[in-house]
Amino acid sequence: MATTADRGKTTAPADEAWTLLRTLFGLQRRRFLIAASELDLHPAQAGALMQLATPLPMNELASLLGCDNSNVTGLIDRLEARDLVARQGSPDDRRVKHVVLTDAGRELRARMLERVGRPPAGFDRLTPAEHRQLRDLMRKVLADD
């Protein structure tokens, strides 16, 4: 958390909360990378599978992954070659392709979620009331203004 240079300094609660959240994100990222590796997925492929709870247009998937449309094309090509996803034309616009999970893709996504979809062990130390409080606080932080 704090570096040696930070010891003894008073930290604003918001700054400390953000540092703790970054630590939690880092731990979750590590869990994600390990799970992807164990399932023989590149992290970008695992990230795409995690976003495909429902079929998505290629451009929306690119937006969710924070990358360019051209990057998603190559990514989907590789997932399609492994029979994990398929492209389907949109019923509304034939120029738009939706990415859908195949049966194998749904199974692999479920295995990925088994590894990273659960809260880390530290959440077990919170009471149900604290879980609700944390949820409500995170909703408040993420609420649109």
Side-chain angles (χ1 to χ4, degrees):
M1 269 190 281
T3 65
T4 306
D6 293 332
R7 291 193 215 309
K9 290 184 181 179
T10 303
T11 304
D15 292 338
E16 184 177 359
W18 182 236
T19 298
L20 293 167
L21 280 171
R22 286 194 329 265
T23 300
L24 183 61
F25 297 154
L27 294 172
Q28 180 65 11
R29 174 91 174 133
R30 185 172 188 274
R31 285 174 64 199
F32 178 86
L33 293 172
I34 290 169
S37 176
E38 289 173 351
L39 296 174
D40 195 30
L41 290 167
H42 183 279
Q45 294 173 332
L49 289 179
M50 297 297 284
Q51 294 296 332
L52 289 169
T54 60
L56 291 174
M58 298 270 289
N59 64 335
E60 189 173 329
L61 182 58
S63 177
L64 289 168
L65 296 174
C67 65
D68 190 73
N69 289 352
S70 62
N71 293 343
V72 169
T73 299
L75 177 63
I76 297 307
D77 286 345
R78 289 184 291 282
L79 289 171
E80 202 169 33
R82 291 184 59 184
D83 192 36
L84 297 173
V85 301
R87 290 176 174 98
Q88 291 182 347
S90 168
D92 302 324
D93 185 344
R94 65 183 184 164
R95 297 169 296 175
V96 175
K97 297 292 183 194
H98 284 85
V99 181
V100 298
L101 292 173
T102 62
D103 289 341
R106 278 188 291 282
E107 190 272 330
L108 195 58
R109 182 179 186 276
R111 290 174 58 199
M112 188 74 184
L113 278 169
E114 286 173 12
R115 290 167 168 80
V116 299
R118 291 184 308 269
F123 274 59
D124 294 343
R125 292 189 286 271
L126 301 177
T127 66
E130 289 170 326
H131 287 151
R132 286 188 295 278
Q133 181 182 23
L134 180 59
R135 178 204 59 203
D136 294 345
L137 290 170
M138 290 292 99
R139 284 180 176 168
K140 188 174 183 178
V141 168
L142 293 171
D144 292 334
D145 291 330

